[in-house]
Amino acid sequence: MATQDNKNSIANNPFFNDYSTPHNTVPFHLIKLEHYEEAFMEGMKREKEELDKIINNEEEPTFDNTIIYKDETKGEHYYDLLGRASTVFSCMLGAETNDDLDALAQKMSPLLTQHANDMQLNEKLFKRIKHVYEHHRELTPEEATLLQKVYDGFVRSGALLNEEGKEQFRRLSEEASLLSLQFSQNLLKENKAFELHLTNEEDLDGLPESARQMAAHAAQEQDKEGWIFTLDFPSYSPFLTYSTKRELREKLYMAKNTEGIHDNPENNLAICTRLINIRRELAQLLGHETYADYVLEHRMASSVKNVYKLFNDLISAYKPQAIKELKEVEQLAKEMEGDAFEMQPWDFGYYSHKLQLQKYNIDSEMLRPYFELSKVIEGVFGLANRLYGISFKENNEIPVYHQDVKAYDVFDADGSYLAVFYADFHPRKGKQGGAWMTEFQGQWITRKGENVRPHVSVVMNFTKPTPQKPALLTLGEVETFLHEFGHSLHGMFANTRFGSLSGTNVWWDFVELPSQFMENYATEKEFLRTFAYHFESGEPIPDELIDRIIKSKNYLSAYGCLRQVSLGLLDMAYYTQKDEFKEDIITFEKDAWKDAIITKQLPNTCMTTQFSHIISGGYAAGYYSYKWAEVLDADAFSLFKKNGIFDKNTALSFRENILSKGGTEHPMTLYKRFRGQEPTIDALLERNGIKKN
């Protein structure tokens, strides 16, 4: 029986109650550290109670009383407590963490994984699910997809194993969960621990004013003299691109590319080795030869053979051009420095930028004044309005977790409420690097027919404003915004019955289609003209500058393609291991991706120990998805190019057949319904200038 103290604690815990906020958004201002653990423990207890009611039901198992069972006696306000708390907690670990949250994550991770295993490995529950799977009423296509997903989910989580196998599965999955968390925490600590603190202005030679101001502001924030450069992309990238101080470029480059291999508590080498082996063991326990075989069973690619075919096709098509691109950069470096000059990895950004200026007279600093963040936001929102008719209105009544975050009400073309959209733009101490989209609430339809609308969030690490200037973005940052916004549209347009099939709950090699599709607009003249105005003069971006953007958009595109392929090869090399992985990671890495590497490799650098996507994220044996989806997005955008890049009918088809359908049908079925045919690699080759149309 709950004590009075417990009752009072629960009454004061926001997760247990109606949020009483606009659209029932998360009341971040009310959530305290202790609220998470209370909600986790009570949430697991409630799920066990629900489980008991399902497995102890004496009626014949049916789709309704087993697959989508909900205890109606609890009322509308008996929330999915565990889901509520877990969603917010995981988002905060990425976007706004601290030592206390990290410690709680370490404490709760094994408990939450054990709980998930208790559900997935419950024999009585799986017996009922199996009965429904084999003897069910006539189902709608969406119901049939859900049943298949639930059944497969249990099988792929060990439901068919004997007791010894289940116990091994529990042990391995709990260990993997904890190690994945530790990997991410180590990487964040490594990243934030480094700073390049300069006090001599001569060391800033070559750097644009925007980089200097940002570095000066970073120093001022720490009450230090001079300038501070960090490993956050908005600081790191300009330094490698513009600094004439080669020894400082080397220092910054080596700090970034040795993350996770130093002799300190944040070393990730052993964690990577163990996670690679755990995943192999789990896959083999479930009857698969490798972890990649296990993963690809539920992917569009379907097999390791098909993934390597994609890689080999791309290498064959792009490598000759990539070698030419590299030689051009090397030749310019020798012209500038002398024939004896040997280019190192920390030199490539610097000299490739010089070549870009020489060939196209363009670089990111020329464009920054036209990409003021508030105008970019207007441009991206305006694009969504022009394509789909939706609109955004900032809502200051919606609580946010940090003052940098903006929250918006999103309205559909008919004026009805569609979603909540959060945007978190800038790097800070407790925030992971990179960019991602997530949800605080997914979309689904209740039994009473209410269409619960999603609350989606995009998190990025863009150039920060300084006391002298607003946030001025690079073209690459504009592309990143469009990418993550594409993911958010996938979430916001979701219109399915079941939450587990809604929005971005699709196969991994399909999920990047909506995001990469949106990137195409970044270099379209008609789009740039809608928002790209000089932040001081208000003058629109000149047509001549746009023409240079378009002409230069394929600059180093082959080199960039091989970079992506190399990462995919590394991923597959780890997860196609059939025997215990015992090799030295740094050495193994260099060999694994060599077919796609055309630059000098340094023996004392490592990507794996900071490669979150494949080590602690969801892309293990799936990093190829970016290139797979790029084939799809190029093919899809070619239809827009044919019909008009703002064509509403084409956009409506894209929304109805892909963005709103989530994972309710096979991805290729959805794609062919939109496109009228299966995709080919031709549109990608043409877009990158590898093949002439």
Side-chain angles (χ1 to χ4, degrees), residues 515-563:
S515 55
Q516 293 182 183
F517 166 82
M518 289 296 286
E519 289 185 49
N520 286 281
Y521 284 93
T523 53
E524 289 292 331
K525 182 178 290 190
E526 291 177 88
F527 172 58
L528 290 169
R529 282 174 173 161
T530 66
F531 72 93
Y533 295 88
H534 196 283
F535 80 102
E536 288 178 320
S537 69
E539 292 294 315
I541 187 169
D543 284 352
E544 180 264 339
L545 190 52
I546 294 179
D547 289 340
R548 277 149 53 194
I549 292 173
I550 294 170
K551 287 178 182 175
S552 67
K553 71 176 182 179
N554 281 329
Y555 179 61
L556 298 182
S557 64
Y559 177 89
C561 175
L562 285 194
R563 170 64 175 163

